[in-house]
Coordinates of all heavy atoms in Angstrom, one line a residue:
M246 N 69.7 131.5 76.1 CA 69.4 130.1 76.1 C 70.6 129.2 76.1 O 70.5 128.1 76.7 CB 68.5 129.8 74.8 CG 67.9 128.4 74.9 SD 66.3 128.7 74.5 CE 65.6 127.2 74.5
A247 N 71.6 129.6 75.7 CA 72.9 128.8 75.7 C 73.3 128.6 77.1 O 73.8 127.6 77.4 CB 74.0 129.5 74.8
T248 N 73.1 129.6 78.0 CA 73.6 129.5 79.4 C 72.7 128.5 80.1 O 73.2 127.7 80.9 CB 73.6 130.8 80.1 OG1 72.2 131.4 80.0 CG2 74.6 131.8 79.6
S249 N 71.4 128.4 79.8 CA 70.6 127.5 80.5 C 70.9 126.1 80.0 O 70.8 125.1 80.8 CB 69.1 127.8 80.3 OG 68.7 127.6 79.0
A250 N 71.2 125.9 78.8 CA 71.6 124.6 78.3 C 72.9 124.1 78.8 O 73.1 122.9 79.2 CB 71.7 124.6 76.7
T251 N 73.8 125.0 79.0 CA 75.1 124.7 79.6 C 74.9 124.3 81.1 O 75.5 123.4 81.6 CB 76.0 125.9 79.5 OG1 76.2 126.3 78.2 CG2 77.4 125.6 80.0
T252 N 74.1 125.0 81.8 CA 73.8 124.8 83.2 C 73.1 123.4 83.3 O 73.5 122.6 84.2 CB 72.9 125.8 83.8 OG1 73.4 127.1 83.6 CG2 72.7 125.6 85.3
L253 N 72.2 123.0 82.5 CA 71.6 121.7 82.5 C 72.6 120.6 82.2 O 72.6 119.7 82.9 CB 70.4 121.8 81.4 CG 69.6 120.5 81.4 CD1 68.9 120.2 82.7 CD2 68.6 120.5 80.3
N254 N 73.4 120.9 81.3 CA 74.5 119.9 81.0 C 75.4 119.7 82.2 O 75.8 118.6 82.5 CB 75.3 120.3 79.7 CG 74.4 120.1 78.5 OD1 73.5 119.3 78.5 ND2 74.8 120.8 77.4
Q255 N 75.7 120.8 82.8 CA 76.6 120.6 84.0 C 75.9 119.9 85.1 O 76.5 119.0 85.8 CB 77.0 122.0 84.5 CG 78.0 122.7 83.6 CD 78.3 124.1 84.1 OE1 77.7 124.6 85.0 NE2 79.4 124.7 83.4
N256 N 74.6 120.1 85.3 CA 73.8 119.4 86.3 C 73.8 117.9 85.9 O 73.9 117.0 86.8 CB 72.4 119.9 86.4 CG 72.4 121.3 87.1 OD1 73.4 121.7 87.8 ND2 71.4 122.1 86.9
E257 N 73.5 117.6 84.6 CA 73.5 116.2 84.2 C 74.9 115.5 84.4 O 74.9 114.4 84.8 CB 73.1 116.2 82.7 CG 71.6 116.5 82.5 CD 71.3 116.5 81.0 OE1 72.2 116.4 80.1 OE2 70.1 116.7 80.7
V258 N 75.9 116.3 84.0 CA 77.3 115.7 84.2 C 77.5 115.4 85.7 O 78.1 114.4 86.1 CB 78.3 116.7 83.6 CG1 79.7 116.2 84.0 CG2 78.2 116.7 82.1
A259 N 77.2 116.3 86.6 CA 77.4 116.1 88.0 C 76.6 114.9 88.5 O 77.1 114.1 89.3 CB 77.0 117.4 88.8
A260 N 75.3 114.8 88.0 CA 74.5 113.7 88.4 C 75.1 112.3 87.9 O 75.1 111.3 88.6 CB 73.1 113.8 87.9
I261 N 75.6 112.3 86.7 CA 76.3 111.1 86.1 C 77.5 110.8 86.9 O 77.7 109.6 87.2 CB 76.5 111.3 84.6 CG1 75.2 111.4 83.8 CG2 77.4 110.2 84.1 CD1 75.4 111.8 82.4
Q262 N 78.3 111.7 87.2 CA 79.5 111.5 88.0 C 79.2 111.0 89.4 O 79.8 110.0 89.9 CB 80.3 112.8 88.1 CG 81.0 113.2 86.9 CD 81.8 114.5 87.0 OE1 81.5 115.3 87.9 NE2 82.6 114.8 86.0
K263 N 78.1 111.5 90.0 CA 77.7 111.0 91.3 C 77.2 109.6 91.2 O 77.5 108.8 92.1 CB 76.6 112.0 91.9 CG 76.2 111.6 93.3 CD 75.1 112.6 93.8 CE 74.7 112.2 95.1 NZ 73.6 113.0 95.7
D264 N 76.5 109.3 90.2 CA 76.0 108.0 89.9 C 77.1 107.0 89.8 O 77.1 105.9 90.3 CB 75.1 107.9 88.7 CG 74.5 106.6 88.5 OD1 73.8 106.0 89.4 OD2 74.7 106.0 87.4
W265 N 78.2 107.4 89.0 CA 79.3 106.5 88.8 C 80.1 106.3 90.1 O 80.5 105.1 90.4 CB 80.3 107.1 87.8 CG 79.8 106.7 86.4 CD1 79.2 107.5 85.5 CD2 79.9 105.4 85.8 NE1 78.9 106.8 84.3 CE2 79.4 105.5 84.5 CE3 80.4 104.2 86.2 CZ2 79.3 104.4 83.6 CZ3 80.4 103.1 85.3 CH2 79.9 103.2 84.1
K266 N 80.2 107.3 90.9 CA 80.8 107.1 92.2 C 80.0 106.2 93.1 O 80.6 105.3 93.8 CB 81.0 108.5 92.9 CG 82.1 109.3 92.3 CD 82.3 110.7 93.0 CE 83.3 111.6 92.3 NZ 83.5 112.8 93.0
N267 N 78.7 106.3 93.1 CA 77.9 105.5 93.9 C 78.0 104.0 93.4 O 78.1 103.1 94.2 CB 76.4 105.9 93.9 CG 76.1 107.1 94.7 OD1 76.9 107.4 95.6 ND2 75.1 107.8 94.4
R268 N 78.0 103.8 92.1 CA 78.2 102.5 91.5 C 79.5 101.8 91.9 O 79.6 100.7 92.2 CB 78.0 102.5 90.0 CG 76.6 102.7 89.6 CD 76.5 102.9 88.1 NE 75.1 103.3 87.7 CZ 74.3 102.5 87.0 NH1 74.7 101.3 86.7 NH2 73.1 103.0 86.7
E269 N 80.6 102.7 91.9 CA 81.9 102.2 92.2 C 81.9 101.8 93.7 O 82.5 100.8 94.1 CB 82.9 103.3 91.9 CG 84.3 102.9 92.2 CD 85.4 104.0 91.9 OE1 85.0 105.1 91.7 OE2 86.6 103.7 92.0
F270 N 81.3 102.6 94.5 CA 81.3 102.3 96.0 C 80.6 101.0 96.2 O 81.0 100.1 97.0 CB 80.6 103.4 96.8 CG 80.4 103.1 98.2 CD1 81.5 103.2 99.1 CD2 79.2 102.8 98.7 CE1 81.3 102.9 100.4 CE2 79.0 102.6 100.0 CZ 80.1 102.6 100.9
V271 N 79.4 100.8 95.6 CA 78.6 99.6 95.7 C 79.4 98.4 95.2 O 79.5 97.3 95.8 CB 77.3 99.7 94.9 CG1 76.6 98.3 94.8 CG2 76.4 100.7 95.6
E272 N 80.2 98.6 94.1 CA 81.0 97.5 93.6 C 82.1 97.1 94.6 O 82.4 95.9 94.8 CB 81.6 97.8 92.3 CG 82.2 96.7 91.5 CD 81.3 95.6 91.1 OE1 80.1 95.9 91.0 OE2 81.7 94.5 91.0
V273 N 82.8 98.1 95.2 CA 83.8 97.9 96.2 C 83.2 97.1 97.4 O 83.8 96.1 97.9 CB 84.5 99.2 96.6 CG1 85.3 99.0 97.8 CG2 85.3 99.8 95.4
V274 N 82.1 97.6 97.9 CA 81.4 96.9 99.0 C 81.1 95.4 98.6 O 81.3 94.5 99.5 CB 80.2 97.6 99.5 CG1 79.4 96.9 100.5 CG2 80.6 99.0 100.1
K275 N 80.6 95.3 97.5 CA 80.2 93.9 97.0 C 81.4 93.0 97.0 O 81.4 91.9 97.4 CB 79.6 94.0 95.6 CG 79.2 92.7 95.0 CD 78.6 93.0 93.6 CE 78.6 91.7 92.8 NZ 78.1 91.9 91.4
L276 N 82.5 93.5 96.4 CA 83.8 92.7 96.3 C 84.3 92.3 97.7 O 84.7 91.2 98.0 CB 84.8 93.4 95.5 CG 84.5 93.5 94.0 CD1 85.6 94.3 93.3 CD2 84.5 92.1 93.4
N277 N 84.3 93.4 98.6 CA 84.7 93.1 100.0 C 83.9 92.0 100.7 O 84.4 91.2 101.4 CB 84.8 94.4 100.8 CG 86.0 95.2 100.4 OD1 87.0 94.7 99.9 ND2 85.9 96.5 100.5
M278 N 82.5 92.1 100.5 CA 81.6 91.2 101.1 C 81.9 89.7 100.5 O 81.9 88.8 101.3 CB 80.2 91.5 100.8 CG 79.7 92.7 101.7 SD 78.1 93.2 101.4 CE 77.2 91.8 101.9
L279 N 82.2 89.6 99.2 CA 82.5 88.4 98.6 C 83.8 87.8 99.2 O 83.9 86.6 99.5 CB 82.6 88.5 97.1 CG 81.3 88.7 96.4 CD1 81.6 89.0 94.9 CD2 80.4 87.5 96.5
Q280 N 84.8 88.6 99.4 CA 86.0 88.2 100.0 C 85.8 87.7 101.5 O 86.4 86.7 101.9 CB 87.1 89.3 100.0 CG 87.6 89.6 98.7 CD 88.6 90.7 98.7 OE1 88.7 91.6 99.6 NE2 89.4 90.8 97.7
I281 N 85.0 88.4 102.2 CA 84.7 88.0 103.6 C 83.9 86.7 103.6 O 84.3 85.8 104.4 CB 83.9 89.1 104.3 CG1 84.7 90.3 104.5 CG2 83.3 88.6 105.6 CD1 84.0 91.5 105.0
V282 N 83.0 86.5 102.7 CA 82.3 85.2 102.7 C 83.2 84.1 102.2 O 83.1 83.0 102.8 CB 81.1 85.4 101.7 CG1 80.5 84.0 101.3 CG2 80.0 86.3 102.2
Q283 N 84.1 84.3 101.3 CA 85.0 83.3 100.9 C 86.0 82.9 102.0 O 86.2 81.8 102.2 CB 85.9 83.8 99.7 CG 86.8 82.8 99.1 CD 87.6 83.3 97.9 OE1 87.6 84.5 97.6 NE2 88.2 82.4 97.2
F284 N 86.4 83.9 102.8 CA 87.3 83.7 103.9 C 86.6 82.8 105.0 O 87.1 81.8 105.5 CB 87.8 85.0 104.6 CG 88.4 84.8 105.9 CD1 89.7 84.3 106.1 CD2 87.6 85.0 107.1 CE1 90.2 84.0 107.3 CE2 88.2 84.8 108.3 CZ 89.5 84.3 108.4
L285 N 85.3 83.2 105.2 CA 84.5 82.5 106.3 C 84.2 81.0 105.8 O 84.3 80.1 106.6 CB 83.2 83.2 106.5 CG 83.3 84.5 107.3 CD1 82.0 85.2 107.4 CD2 83.9 84.3 108.7
N286 N 84.0 80.8 104.5 CA 83.7 79.5 104.0 C 85.0 78.6 104.1 O 85.0 77.5 104.5 CB 83.3 79.5 102.5 CG 81.8 80.0 102.5 OD1 81.0 79.8 103.4 ND2 81.4 80.5 101.3
N287 N 86.2 79.3 103.7 CA 87.4 78.5 103.9 C 87.8 78.2 105.3 O 88.2 77.1 105.6 CB 88.6 79.3 103.3 CG 88.5 79.4 101.7 OD1 87.9 78.6 101.1 ND2 89.2 80.4 101.1
F288 N 87.5 79.1 106.2 CA 87.7 78.9 107.6 C 86.8 77.8 108.1 O 87.3 77.0 108.9 CB 87.5 80.2 108.4 CG 87.7 80.1 109.9 CD1 89.0 80.1 110.4 CD2 86.6 79.9 110.7 CE1 89.1 80.0 111.8 CE2 86.7 79.8 112.1 CZ 88.0 79.8 112.6
D289 N 85.6 77.8 107.8 CA 84.6 76.8 108.2 C 85.2 75.4 107.7 O 85.2 74.5 108.5 CB 83.3 77.1 107.6 CG 82.3 76.0 107.9 OD1 82.1 75.7 109.1 OD2 81.7 75.4 107.1
S290 N 85.5 75.3 106.4 CA 86.0 74.1 105.9 C 87.3 73.6 106.6 O 87.4 72.4 107.0 CB 86.3 74.3 104.4 OG 86.8 73.1 103.8
S291 N 88.2 74.5 106.8 CA 89.4 74.2 107.5 C 89.2 73.7 109.0 O 89.7 72.8 109.4 CB 90.4 75.4 107.5 OG 91.5 75.1 108.3
A292 N 88.3 74.5 109.7 CA 88.0 74.1 111.1 C 87.3 72.8 111.2 O 87.7 72.0 112.0 CB 87.1 75.2 111.7
R293 N 86.4 72.5 110.3 CA 85.7 71.2 110.3 C 86.7 70.1 110.0 O 86.6 69.0 110.7 CB 84.6 71.2 109.2 CG 83.4 72.0 109.6 CD 82.3 71.9 108.5 NE 81.2 72.8 108.8 CZ 80.1 72.5 109.5 NH1 80.0 71.2 109.9 NH2 79.2 73.3 109.7
Y294 N 87.6 70.3 109.1 CA 88.6 69.2 108.8 C 89.5 69.0 110.0 O 89.7 67.8 110.4 CB 89.5 69.6 107.6 CG 90.6 68.7 107.4 CD1 90.4 67.4 106.8 CD2 91.9 69.1 107.7 CE1 91.5 66.6 106.6 CE2 93.0 68.2 107.5 CZ 92.7 66.9 107.0 OH 93.8 66.1 106.8
K295 N 90.0 70.0 110.7 CA 90.9 69.9 111.8 C 90.1 69.3 113.0 O 90.7 68.4 113.7 CB 91.4 71.2 112.2 CG 92.5 71.8 111.2 CD 93.0 73.1 111.6 CE 94.0 73.6 110.5 NZ 94.5 74.9 110.8
L296 N 88.8 69.7 113.2 CA 88.1 69.1 114.3 C 87.8 67.5 114.0 O 87.8 66.7 114.9 CB 86.7 69.8 114.4 CG 86.8 71.1 115.1 CD1 85.5 71.9 115.1 CD2 87.3 71.0 116.5
S297 N 87.6 67.2 112.7 CA 87.4 65.8 112.3 C 88.7 65.0 112.6 O 88.6 63.9 113.2 CB 87.1 65.7 110.9 OG 87.0 64.4 110.4
C298 N 89.8 65.6 112.3 CA 91.1 64.9 112.6 C 91.2 64.7 114.1 O 91.7 63.6 114.6 CB 92.3 65.7 112.1 SG 92.4 65.6 110.3
I299 N 91.0 65.7 114.9 CA 91.1 65.6 116.3 C 90.1 64.6 116.9 O 90.4 63.8 117.8 CB 90.9 67.0 117.0 CG1 92.1 67.9 116.7 CG2 90.7 66.9 118.5 CD1 91.9 69.4 117.1
N300 N 88.9 64.6 116.3 CA 87.9 63.6 116.7 C 88.3 62.2 116.5 O 88.1 61.3 117.3 CB 86.6 63.9 116.0 CG 85.4 63.1 116.6 OD1 85.3 62.9 117.8 ND2 84.6 62.6 115.7
E301 N 89.0 61.9 115.4 CA 89.5 60.6 115.1 C 90.6 60.2 116.1 O 90.6 59.1 116.6 CB 90.1 60.6 113.7 CG 89.0 60.6 112.6 CD 89.7 60.5 111.2 OE1 90.8 60.1 111.1 OE2 88.9 61.0 110.3
K302 N 91.5 61.2 116.4 CA 92.6 60.9 117.3 C 92.0 60.6 118.7 O 92.4 59.7 119.4 CB 93.5 62.0 117.4 CG 94.4 62.1 116.1 CD 95.3 63.3 116.2 CE 96.1 63.5 114.9 NZ 97.0 64.6 115.0
L303 N 91.0 61.4 119.1 CA 90.4 61.2 120.4 C 89.6 59.8 120.5 O 89.8 59.1 121.5 CB 89.4 62.4 120.7 CG 88.6 62.3 122.0 CD1 89.6 62.4 123.2 CD2 87.7 63.5 122.1
H304 N 88.9 59.5 119.4 CA 88.3 58.2 119.4 C 89.3 57.1 119.5 O 89.0 56.1 120.2 CB 87.5 58.1 118.1 CG 86.6 56.9 118.0 ND1 85.6 56.7 118.8 CD2 86.7 55.8 117.2 CE1 85.0 55.5 118.5 NE2 85.7 54.9 117.5
S305 N 90.4 57.2 118.8 CA 91.4 56.2 118.9 C 92.0 56.1 120.3 O 92.2 55.0 120.8 CB 92.5 56.5 117.9 OG 93.6 55.6 118.0
L306 N 92.2 57.2 120.9 CA 92.7 57.2 122.3 C 91.7 56.6 123.3 O 92.1 55.8 124.2 CB 93.1 58.6 122.8 CG 94.3 59.2 122.2 CD1 94.4 60.7 122.5 CD2 95.6 58.5 122.6
E307 N 90.4 56.9 123.0 CA 89.4 56.3 123.9 C 89.4 54.8 123.8 O 89.2 54.1 124.7 CB 88.0 56.8 123.5 CG 87.8 58.3 124.0 CD 86.5 58.9 123.5 OE1 85.9 58.4 122.5 OE2 86.1 59.9 124.1
R308 N 89.5 54.3 122.5 CA 89.5 52.8 122.3 C 90.8 52.2 123.0 O 90.7 51.1 123.6 CB 89.5 52.5 120.9 CG 88.1 52.6 120.2 CD 88.1 52.1 118.8 NE 88.9 53.1 118.0 CZ 89.6 52.9 116.9 NH1 89.7 51.7 116.5 NH2 90.2 53.9 116.3
M309 N 91.9 52.9 122.9 CA 93.1 52.4 123.6 C 92.9 52.4 125.1 O 93.4 51.4 125.7 CB 94.3 53.2 123.2 CG 94.7 53.0 121.7 SD 95.8 54.2 121.0 CE 97.3 54.0 121.9
L310 N 92.3 53.4 125.6 CA 92.1 53.5 127.0 C 91.1 52.4 127.5 O 91.4 51.7 128.5 CB 91.5 54.8 127.4 CG 91.2 55.1 128.9 CD1 92.5 54.9 129.8 CD2 90.5 56.4 129.1
E311 N 90.1 52.1 126.7 CA 89.2 51.0 127.1 C 89.9 49.7 127.1 O 89.7 48.8 127.9 CB 88.0 51.0 126.1 CG 87.0 52.1 126.3 CD 85.9 52.2 125.2 OE1 86.0 51.3 124.3 OE2 85.1 53.1 125.3
F312 N 90.8 49.5 126.1 CA 91.6 48.3 126.0 C 92.5 48.1 127.2 O 92.5 47.0 127.8 CB 92.4 48.2 124.7 CG 93.3 47.0 124.7 CD1 92.8 45.8 124.3 CD2 94.7 47.2 124.9 CE1 93.6 44.7 124.2 CE2 95.5 46.0 124.9 CZ 95.0 44.8 124.5
C313 N 93.1 49.2 127.6 CA 94.0 49.2 128.8 C 93.2 48.9 130.1 O 93.7 48.1 130.9 CB 94.8 50.5 128.9 SG 96.0 50.7 127.7
E314 N 92.1 49.6 130.2 CA 91.2 49.3 131.4 C 90.7 47.9 131.4 O 90.7 47.2 132.5 CB 90.0 50.2 131.3 CG 90.3 51.7 131.7 CD 89.1 52.6 131.5 OE1 88.1 52.2 130.8 OE2 89.2 53.7 132.0
A315 N 90.4 47.3 130.3 CA 89.9 45.9 130.3 C 91.1 45.0 130.6 O 91.0 44.0 131.3 CB 89.4 45.5 128.9
A316 N 92.3 45.3 130.1 CA 93.5 44.5 130.4 C 93.8 44.5 131.9 O 94.1 43.5 132.6 CB 94.7 45.0 129.6
V317 N 93.7 45.7 132.5 CA 94.0 45.8 133.9 C 92.9 45.1 134.7 O 93.2 44.4 135.7 CB 94.0 47.3 134.3 CG1 94.0 47.5 135.8 CG2 95.3 48.0 133.8
Q318 N 91.7 45.2 134.3 CA 90.6 44.6 135.0 C 90.8 43.1 134.9 O 90.6 42.4 135.9 CB 89.2 45.0 134.4 CG 88.0 44.4 135.1 CD 87.8 44.9 136.5 OE1 88.2 46.1 136.8 NE2 87.3 44.2 137.4
T319 N 91.1 42.6 133.8 CA 91.3 41.1 133.6 C 92.5 40.7 134.4 O 92.5 39.6 135.2 CB 91.7 40.8 132.1 OG1 90.6 41.2 131.4 CG2 91.8 39.3 131.9
S320 N 93.6 41.5 134.5 CA 94.8 41.2 135.2 C 94.4 41.1 136.7 O 94.8 40.2 137.5 CB 95.9 42.2 135.0 OG 97.0 42.0 135.9
T321 N 93.6 42.1 137.2 CA 93.2 42.2 138.6 C 92.4 41.0 138.9 O 92.5 40.4 140.0 CB 92.5 43.5 138.9 OG1 93.3 44.6 138.4 CG2 92.2 43.6 140.3
S322 N 91.4 40.6 138.0 CA 90.6 39.5 138.3 C 91.3 38.2 138.4 O 91.1 37.4 139.3 CB 89.5 39.4 137.2 OG 88.7 40.5 137.2
L323 N 92.3 38.1 137.5 CA 93.1 36.8 137.5 C 93.9 36.7 138.8 O 94.1 35.7 139.4 CB 94.0 36.7 136.3 CG 93.3 36.5 135.0 CD1 94.3 36.6 133.8 CD2 92.6 35.2 135.0
S324 N 94.5 37.9 139.2 CA 95.4 37.8 140.4 C 94.5 37.6 141.6 O 94.9 36.9 142.6 CB 96.1 39.1 140.5 OG 95.9 39.9 141.6
E325 N 93.3 38.1 141.7 CA 92.4 37.9 142.8 C 92.0 36.4 142.8 O 91.9 35.8 143.9 CB 91.1 38.8 142.7 CG 91.4 40.2 143.1 CD 90.2 41.1 142.9 OE1 89.1 40.6 142.4 OE2 90.4 42.3 143.1
A326 N 91.7 35.9 141.6 CA 91.3 34.5 141.5 C 92.4 33.5 142.0 O 92.3 32.5 142.7 CB 90.9 34.1 140.1
A327 N 93.7 33.9 141.7 CA 94.8 33.1 142.1 C 95.0 33.2 143.6 O 95.4 32.2 144.2 CB 96.1 33.6 141.3
D328 N 94.7 34.3 144.2 CA 94.9 34.4 145.6 C 93.8 33.6 146.3 O 94.0 33.1 147.5 CB 94.7 35.9 146.1 CG 96.0 36.7 145.6 OD1 97.0 36.1 145.3 OD2 95.9 37.9 145.6
E329 N 92.7 33.4 145.8 CA 91.5 32.7 146.4 C 91.7 31.2 146.3 O 91.1 30.5 147.1 CB 90.2 33.1 145.8 CG 89.8 34.5 146.1 CD 88.5 35.0 145.5 OE1 87.9 34.1 144.8 OE2 88.1 36.1 145.5
V330 N 92.4 30.7 145.3 CA 92.6 29.3 145.2 C 93.5 28.8 146.3 O 94.6 29.3 146.5 CB 93.2 29.0 143.8 CG1 93.5 27.5 143.7 CG2 92.3 29.4 142.7
P331 N 93.1 27.8 147.1 CA 93.9 27.3 148.2 C 95.1 26.5 147.6 O 95.1 25.8 146.6 CB 93.0 26.3 148.9 CG 91.9 26.0 148.0 CD 91.8 27.1 147.0
K332 N 96.2 26.8 148.2 CA 97.5 26.2 147.7 C 97.6 24.8 148.4 O 97.4 24.6 149.5 CB 98.7 27.1 148.1 CG 98.6 28.4 147.4 CD 99.8 29.2 147.7 CE 99.8 30.5 146.9 NZ 100.9 31.4 147.2
E333 N 98.1 23.9 147.6 CA 98.3 22.5 148.1 C 99.7 22.5 148.8 O 100.7 23.0 148.3 CB 98.3 21.6 146.9 CG 97.0 21.4 146.2 CD 97.1 20.5 145.1 OE1 98.0 19.6 145.1 OE2 96.2 20.5 144.3
E334 N 99.6 21.9 150.0 CA 100.9 21.8 150.8 C 101.4 20.4 150.7 O 101.0 19.4 150.6 CB 100.6 22.2 152.2 CG 100.3 23.6 152.2 CD 100.1 24.0 153.7 OE1 100.9 23.6 154.6 OE2 99.2 24.8 153.9

C-alpha cells in the first residue's frame, strides 16, 4: 500500500507542477499583452499629439496663403483699375 500512496503522491506532485507551469505561462502572456497595450496607447497618444501640431501648422499656412492670395488679388485689381483710368494730358 505504501507504493500506491507514493505513486499517487508523485502523480499529484506532477499535476501541481504542471499547473504551476501553466499559471506561470499565462502570467507571462498576460504581462506581455499589457506591455503591448501600453505601447499602443502611448503610440496613439503620441501620434495624435504630433498630428494635432501638424494640423495647426497647416492651418496657419493655409491662412497665410489666403492672405497672400487676397493681397495679390487686391494688387492686381488696383493695377487694372489704374490702367483703365484715362490719364489727363
Side-chain angles (χ1 to χ4, degrees):
M246 187 131 180
T248 55
S249 66
T251 305
T252 306
L253 183 61
N254 286 337
Q255 288 175 350
N256 289 339
E257 289 175 353
V258 168
I261 291 171
Q262 287 176 344
K263 184 178 179 182
D264 181 56
W265 276 104
K266 286 181 182 180
N267 286 339
R268 288 174 188 248
E269 183 180 9
F270 175 74
V271 167
E272 191 65 26
V273 167
V274 169
K275 178 181 162 186
L276 288 174
N277 286 330
M278 287 178 64
L279 287 173
Q280 287 178 340
I281 290 170
V282 167
Q283 184 179 15
F284 167 78
L285 290 173
N286 286 334
N287 289 339
F288 178 80
D289 177 61
S290 176
S291 175
R293 286 180 187 267
Y294 172 75
K295 290 177 181 179
L296 286 172
S297 174
C298 290
I299 289 172
N300 189 39
E301 286 179 23
K302 289 178 183 179
L303 181 60
H304 185 66
S305 176
L306 288 171
E307 286 174 342
R308 283 185 289 148
M309 290 165 65
L310 179 62
E311 287 174 0
F312 175 77
C313 290
E314 287 174 344
V317 167
Q318 184 68 29
T319 303
S320 172
T321 307
S322 297
L323 289 176
S324 117
E325 288 174 359
D328 289 342
E329 291 177 6
V330 173
K332 294 184 180 178
E333 295 180 17
E334 290 182 45

